[in-house]
């Protein structure tokens, strides 16, 4: 039989993927808006490195996460719906006696098949005891912070309890406070750690890095958004100073990706690497901790079950993907990454916990085969009585959070007073990532290939009719998401049998619900001044031994 060039490439990739374990870089952006990357149709904030990698990989246009940081990270690392772990409520706060329950996590699975594991950046899954921190939960190394946020330069995190501000240092390297890093911009600092880890590694082990960025989460009140001034100055077309700084923060994320791709190339690792890029939830455009991000044209934002809160910017890139340069509309949930990356990394799916909610979608991603996922439990919160479910094309929302405060459309709020910009495909093509990938790919994309992919991944409000629904009024809302991604046309009264079926499914899911973990704020004992003004594990050990794990 004659083997054509394309078949030969497929054979080589499949054979090499079985004989050599790939390296895995999992990048999590924090509170990044749907509309704040170029490949989703926005011209405001150029993201050439992100766009180039997305176009050359698989853009995941139906990638769902949780509406808060802690639940998303719990789902990502455990492969289970947060409501099965008692993690379905709000994110963990500083000094809160609450943590991700004991589970076998993604880094532990990967260590089982020989990986060296690093967490860089945010943890946010509890730290009241040392055994709740990353290096006790499967990561060989952790360089980052424990809380929801810290400042971008001084790494101080301030929390207000009983009208009093508690401030502590929150940056650690393998448990030790990293005071010597003060003054370096967080996005650059975490990128530098990743680049050095890649450049200096001599181990034959496959490498897993979870880069969990602080950017673009807001930091302390008073200076919520921070970026280098020279980067801010690149966005003079944005009049609003807060949106301008946010754009600079997104741009630094883009630079970070370019630097990591360059480091992988220099180390000759890129041809056997998987890069996944996701956001942990939608942008928080307004509210107590706004970051001026945009989820346009999606409804809602972080802290809601509308698309703007839970439909995440996401893509995967790897030379191991045979059917690349496409936009996938297959449902994928953040729980799917544990089984998917474990199998992609050489693990046997039979070794996984049979109670996982995540599906292994590696073959679907590689070969563009039908996905095994057709439904997603968005969440069940028994305290707010807020729940959501995707089932094929349908989405059901019951109840609301924050009394419906954020159930509106906010994307346009931060898009005013901005000079019209053109999308620069040449900048994408000539970006660090674009240049490297072009030389690596067997059949590289041309500059003219970007626009069709961009058009496919751009969401437009397409509902023929508008029938508003607000679950804050007690209404049950039903949407046909592929045809109404902006959730403008409630179909509940037209499809009562679908509503009944999906409500019954929620009832069945609820049988597996673990009550939300109650975490008291123990600021008396966790007060940073007791631990040399650092946020530090404080339970079950005397002060001196609590300083060092």
């Amino acid at each position: 039989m004659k083997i054509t060039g394309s078949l030969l490439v497929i054979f080589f990739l499949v054979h090499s993927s079985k004989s050599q374990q790939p390296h895995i870089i999992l990048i999590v952006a924090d509170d990044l808006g749907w509309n704040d990357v170029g490949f989703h149709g926005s011209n405001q904030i150029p993201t050439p490195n992100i766009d180039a990698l997305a176009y050359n990989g698989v853009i995941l246009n139906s990638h769902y996460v949780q509406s808060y940081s802690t639940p998303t990270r719990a789902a990502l690392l455990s492969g289970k719906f947060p409501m099965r772990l008692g993690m379905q409520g709000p994110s963990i706060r500083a000094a809160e006696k609450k943590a991700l329950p004991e589970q076998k996590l993604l880094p532990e699975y990967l260590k089982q098949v020989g990986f060296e594991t690093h967490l860089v950046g945010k943890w946010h899954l509890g730290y009241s005891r040392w055994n709740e921190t990353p290096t006790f939960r499967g990561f060989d190394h952790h360089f980052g912070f424990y809380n929801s946020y810290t400042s971008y330069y001084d790494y101080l995190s301030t929390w207000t309890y009983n009208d009093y501000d508690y401030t502590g240092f929150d940056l650690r390297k393998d448990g030790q406070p990293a005071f010597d890093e003060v003054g370096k911009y967080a996005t650059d600092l975490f990128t530098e750690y990743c680049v050095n880890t890649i450049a200096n590694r001599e181990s034959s082990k496959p490498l897993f890095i979870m880069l969990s960025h602080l950017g673009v989460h807001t930091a302390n009140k008073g200076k919520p958004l921070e970026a280098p001034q020279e980067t801010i100055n690149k966005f003079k077309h944005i009049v609003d100073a807060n949106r301008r700084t946010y754009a600079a923060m997104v741009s630094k994320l883009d630079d970070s990706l370019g630097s990591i791709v360059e480091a992988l190339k220099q180390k000759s690792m890129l041809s056997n690497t998987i890069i996944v890029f996701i956001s942990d939830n939608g942008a928080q455009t307004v509210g107590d901790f706004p970051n001026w991000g945009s989820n346009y044209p999606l409804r809602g934002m972080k802290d809601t079950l509308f698309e703007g809160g839970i439909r995440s910017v996401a893509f995967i890139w790897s030379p191991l993907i045979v059917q690349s340069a496409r936009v996938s509309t297959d449902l994928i949930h953040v729980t799917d990454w544990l089984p998917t990356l474990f199998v992609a990394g050489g693990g046997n799916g039979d070794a996984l916990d049979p109670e996982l909610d995540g599906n292994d979608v590696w073959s679907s991603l590689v070969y563009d085969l039908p996905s095994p996922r057709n439904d997603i439990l968005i969440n069940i919160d028994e305290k707010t009585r807020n729940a959501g479910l995707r089932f094929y094309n349908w989405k059901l929302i019951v109840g609301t959070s924050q009394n419906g405060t954020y159930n509106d459309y906010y994307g346009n709020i931060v898009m005013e007073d901005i000079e019209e910009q053109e999308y620069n495909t040449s900048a994408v093509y000539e970006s660090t990532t674009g240049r490297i990938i072009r030389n690596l790919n067997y059949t590289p994309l041309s500059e003219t290939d970007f626009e069709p992919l961009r058009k496919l991944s751009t969401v437009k409000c397409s509902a023929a009719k508008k029938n508003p629904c607000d679950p804050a009024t007690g209404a049950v809302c039903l949407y046909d998401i592929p045809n109404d991604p902006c959730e403008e046309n409630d179909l509940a009264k037209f499809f009562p049998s679908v509503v009944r079926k999906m409500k019954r499914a929620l009832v069945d899911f609820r049988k597996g619900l673990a009550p939300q973990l109650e975490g008291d704020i123990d600021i008396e004992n966790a007060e940073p001044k007791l631990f040399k003004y650092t946020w530090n594990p404080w339970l079950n050990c005397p002060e001196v031994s609590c300083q060092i794990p």
Side-chain angles (χ1 to χ4, degrees):
M1 181 182 71
K2 183 178 180 181
I3 300 178
T4 65
S6 59
L7 283 175
L8 187 61
V9 171
I10 292 173
F11 172 80
F12 171 77
L13 289 173
V14 173
H15 178 73
S16 63
S17 69
K18 290 182 178 179
S19 61
Q20 185 180 7
Q21 291 172 275
H23 308 289
I24 299 172
I25 311 295
L26 172 58
I27 301 173
V28 183
D30 203 329
D31 291 7
L32 179 65
W34 178 268
N35 191 49
D36 295 327
V37 292
F39 71 81
H40 275 321
S42 176
N43 295 348
Q44 287 184 23
I45 307 174
T47 51
N49 289 296
I50 289 173
D51 292 3
L53 206 63
Y55 292 143
N56 282 278
V58 181
I59 296 172
L60 305 172
N61 247 33
S62 296
H63 180 270
Y64 285 86
V65 292
Q66 306 304 126
S67 62
Y68 278 117
S69 170
T70 292
T72 289
R73 291 162 207 278
L76 172 64
L77 291 178
S78 72
K80 296 182 179 181
F81 294 136
M83 68 106 189
R84 299 197 192 280
L85 306 171
M87 304 294 286
Q88 62 270 33
S91 290
I92 295 173
R93 297 167 290 173
E96 187 171 10
K97 293 192 291 186
K98 185 167 74 172
L100 177 64
E102 189 61 38
Q103 299 282 319
K104 189 171 184 178
L105 303 183
L106 174 59
E108 296 175 280
Y109 276 109
L110 291 176
K111 281 169 68 73
Q112 182 180 308
V113 290
F115 276 77
E116 175 186 325
T117 60
H118 294 253
L119 173 64
V120 185
K122 181 171 176 174
W123 172 237
H124 207 196
L125 288 170
Y127 65 96
S128 62
R129 298 173 175 84
W130 279 116
N131 63 7
E132 297 167 353
T133 60
T135 53
F136 290 82
R137 301 301 302 269
F139 288 102
D140 293 320
H141 300 283
H142 174 229
F143 178 53
F145 57 103
Y146 293 153
N147 282 309
S148 173
Y149 60 84
T150 190
S151 285
Y152 282 80
Y153 286 101
D154 61 23
Y155 303 99
L156 298 178
S157 183
T158 299
W159 294 73
T160 304
Y161 297 123
N162 302 321
D163 298 322
Y164 183 81
D165 288 343
Y166 295 86
T167 298
F169 184 74
D170 195 5
L171 181 67
R172 293 180 175 264
K173 182 176 288 186
D174 293 339
Q176 299 275 8
F179 296 116
D180 56 334
E181 305 292 359
V182 169
K184 300 177 183 177
Y185 186 64
T187 304
D188 292 340
L189 180 63
F190 297 144
T191 302
E192 180 183 289
Y193 179 92
C194 292
V195 167
N196 289 339
T197 298
I198 293 166
N200 298 326
R201 70 184 304 273
E202 297 178 356
S203 171
S204 60
K205 291 183 176 182
L207 180 65
F208 171 61
I209 297 177
M210 178 175 169
L211 172 53
S212 184
H213 273 297
L214 169 61
V216 285
H217 194 290
T218 186
N220 296 310
K221 291 183 178 179
K223 52 175 183 179
L225 306 180
E226 297 180 276
Q229 190 59 48
E230 63 269 21
T231 308
I232 296 173
N233 291 342
K234 295 178 182 178
F235 295 93
K236 293 180 180 178
H237 61 282
I238 300 177
V239 176
D240 184 280
N242 289 310
R243 177 68 175 172
R244 187 163 62 246
T245 303
Y246 173 84
M249 294 163 71
V250 174
S251 182
K252 294 303 290 183
L253 289 183
D254 187 73
D255 292 343
S256 171
L257 182 60
S259 297
I260 289 169
V261 170
E262 176 72 40
L264 290 165
K265 171 187 174 277
Q266 293 296 331
K267 199 65 174 178
S268 300
M269 294 166 59
L270 193 59
S271 61
N272 190 38
T273 292
I274 299 165
I275 300 176
V276 175
F277 184 102
I278 69 172
S279 177
D280 66 342
N281 42 248
Q284 184 163 350
T285 311
V286 299
D288 289 338
F289 286 90
N291 70 351
W292 284 266
S294 172
N295 301 310
Y296 179 86
L298 302 177
R299 182 178 179 182
M301 63 176 200
K302 176 181 178 178
D303 187 33
T304 76
L305 301 189
F306 287 103
E307 297 290 282
I310 60 171
R311 190 165 175 171
S312 158
V313 174
F315 65 84
I316 182 172
W317 174 90
S318 176
L320 304 177
I321 295 176
V322 175
Q323 298 294 331
S324 58
R326 60 187 173 90
V327 178
S328 171
T329 58
D330 288 343
L331 289 181
I332 182 168
H333 186 250
V334 66
T335 54
D336 296 335
W337 289 118
L338 186 153
T340 299
L341 295 179
F342 178 66
V343 170
N348 185 333
D350 292 338
L352 292 166
D353 181 351
E355 298 298 317
L356 291 185
D357 294 303
N359 289 314
D360 167 22
V361 296
W362 180 238
S363 295
S364 301
L365 294 171
V366 172
Y367 302 110
D368 194 16
L369 297 173
S371 172
R373 180 173 287 286
N374 52 43
D375 66 348
I376 293 172
L377 175 64
I378 296 170
N379 199 30
I380 297 177
D381 186 324
E382 76 278 21
K383 289 190 175 182
T384 62
R385 303 181 71 81
N386 188 197
L389 178 69
R390 269 294 304 262
F391 182 69
Y392 290 94
N393 60 304
W394 298 108
K395 179 180 177 183
L396 187 78
I397 296 180
V398 179
T400 191
S401 60
Q402 302 286 337
N403 296 316
T405 302
Y406 303 129
N407 287 354
D408 212 334
Y409 296 84
Y410 301 95
N412 271 328
I413 293 176
V414 293
M415 295 175 67
E416 300 172 351
D417 298 325
I418 297 176
E419 295 178 17
E420 189 67 29
Q421 303 290 303
E422 289 188 6
Y423 186 64
N424 190 344
T425 54
S426 296
V428 176
Y429 190 73
E430 297 298 338
S431 67
T432 299
T433 296
R435 173 175 43 80
I436 292 171
I437 300 305
R438 185 163 67 250
N439 293 328
L440 181 70
N441 279 5
Y442 182 75
T443 53
L445 296 182
S446 68
E447 191 175 326
T448 57
D449 292 324
F450 298 154
E451 281 293 355
L453 290 166
R454 188 175 191 239
K455 186 176 181 180
L456 285 173
S457 64
T458 299
V459 169
K460 294 184 178 180
C461 296
S462 52
K465 296 180 180 179
K466 293 188 178 182
N467 182 30
C469 179
D470 186 355
T473 65
V476 174
C477 306
L478 179 71
Y479 301 103
D480 178 358
I481 294 298
N483 293 308
D484 180 22
C486 303
E487 296 168 298
E488 297 178 303
N489 186 27
D490 173 36
L491 298 173
K493 66 181 180 182
F494 300 106
F495 295 93
S497 62
V498 174
V499 172
R500 286 194 300 271
K501 184 174 182 178
M502 294 182 74
K503 288 177 77 173
R504 283 197 300 269
L506 283 173
V507 170
D508 288 339
F509 272 119
R510 200 185 191 288
K511 294 173 184 175
L513 180 142
Q516 284 185 46
L517 297 176
E518 298 292 341
D520 295 331
I521 301 297
D522 189 17
I523 193 61
E524 262 187 42
N525 296 306
E527 158 73 273
K529 71 181 181 182
L530 299 175
F531 303 98
K532 299 179 181 178
Y533 290 92
T534 66
W535 292 106
N536 199 88
W538 68 95
L539 294 179
N540 294 355
C541 55
E543 179 187 339
V544 174
S545 65
C546 270
Q547 294 298 316
I548 303 172

